[in-house]
Amino acid sequence: MRLIVARCEVTYTGRLLQARLPEALRLIMVKSDGSVMVHADTGGYKPQNWMTPPTVIEEEPGRLVVRKRAGKTEDRLDIRIVEVLSDVEHDMGEAAALEKDGVERDLQEALAAQPEALGEQLRLVRREWPTDIGPVDLMCRDADDGWVAVEIKRIATIDAVEQLSRYLERITEEPGLGECRGILAAQVVKPQARTLAEARGLRCVEIDLAVLRGEREPELTLFVA
């Protein structure tokens, strides 16, 4: 991984027409897989601009150009470097796969076997559906043959909603997956997470793992007229 701290100006051209980041001090992250991200020291974890692999990276004094084919068009990130404060490379070695905690792993296995437990007629297509920012737990199809991405947590917080939203941003860019919708499944869904999820068109489902496994009967609710 290469990390460049530099005063630079960044111009994007491509499917989204054109966008420009004026000259400022930024961190440019170039990963071995061809990913390029431009970060500021504010704005949280999300880069100000980025390009996902596969890319072609061209470098010359004072300039870094990142190109990516997108169908019949080309996305292009033109980074004009005015001053370099730091330019270092690190060998990150072999990346270990993400290990989920036991409850999440067990929930994923149980829901993969019984996707209808999510409250609708679903059929599993694949576990750990790959995206360039990480795998989605389950990718399913519904009764109308529509695509449904399912993210599974032990406790669903606002961070889980953000994670599923980022996955959907990537998935819906793929051909044939533009209408993919999302379900957030957890043993507990925090109220704030549910509110944000529903505002973004995501469905939340609380799952009792013991009931799903048949280890105990679901609790019955008594309705009084």
Side-chain angles (χ1 to χ4, degrees):
M1 179 183 294
R2 184 180 178 190
L3 302 174
I4 307 169
V5 178
R7 184 167 297 279
C8 60
E9 177 187 71
V10 184
T11 302
Y12 164 86
T13 53
R15 291 172 294 170
L16 303 179
L17 300 178
Q18 186 170 15
R20 175 178 169 272
L21 293 174
E23 183 180 316
L25 193 62
R26 297 186 176 89
L27 168 65
I28 304 167
M29 182 182 298
V30 183
K31 298 174 67 175
S32 60
D33 64 0
S35 304
V36 177
M37 290 164 281
V38 180
H39 286 271
D41 198 28
T42 57
Y45 59 87
K46 190 173 182 179
Q48 291 185 311
N49 215 324
W50 66 91
M51 198 80 79
T52 57
T55 59
V56 175
I57 300 174
E58 301 169 349
E59 185 173 5
E60 58 186 63
R63 191 180 182 202
L64 192 67
V65 177
V66 186
R67 297 186 290 110
K68 176 180 179 177
R69 294 296 302 176
K72 295 182 180 180
T73 62
E74 180 182 77
D75 288 339
R76 179 185 176 102
L77 210 57
D78 198 323
I79 305 173
R80 184 177 66 86
I81 298 175
V82 178
E83 178 186 8
V84 176
L85 278 67
S86 175
D87 186 348
V88 296
E89 292 190 29
H90 299 278
D91 183 358
M92 306 293 287
E94 182 103 11
L98 176 67
E99 294 186 0
K100 302 188 178 229
D101 69 38
V103 172
E104 287 186 17
R105 182 171 57 250
D106 293 341
L107 273 173
Q108 185 188 114
E109 291 174 354
L111 286 171
Q114 304 176 63
E116 66 278 2
L118 292 165
E120 58 181 290
Q121 186 179 339
L122 297 174
R123 69 181 187 277
L124 178 68
V125 176
R126 177 172 176 174
R127 289 176 60 185
E128 303 290 341
W129 180 280
T131 77
D132 59 352
I133 58 173
V136 180
D137 290 320
L138 305 179
M139 184 66 87
C140 302
R141 302 198 84 153
D142 61 21
D144 297 322
D145 218 29
W147 289 95
V148 182
V150 182
E151 183 61 21
I152 300 168
K153 298 293 183 185
R154 183 173 65 85
I155 299 175
T157 63
I158 286 177
D159 286 344
V161 178
E162 296 288 2
Q163 182 180 0
L164 180 54
S165 298
R166 293 196 300 273
Y167 285 151
L168 287 171
E169 285 179 5
R170 297 297 198 272
I171 291 168
T172 54
E173 291 178 353
E174 298 181 29
L177 298 177
E179 299 300 320
C180 183
R181 57 190 176 91
I183 295 177
L184 181 59
Q187 287 192 306
V188 177
V189 179
K190 293 291 188 179
Q192 301 93 330
R194 186 180 295 275
T195 299
L196 179 59
E198 291 174 353
R200 294 185 178 181
L202 308 175
R203 191 162 69 84
C204 295
V205 182
E206 290 192 339
I207 300 293
D208 187 320
L209 183 56
V211 172
L212 192 60
R213 287 172 165 174
E215 296 172 352
R216 68 177 178 83
E217 294 296 319
E219 295 181 3
L220 299 179
T221 301
L222 178 63
F223 293 93
V224 179

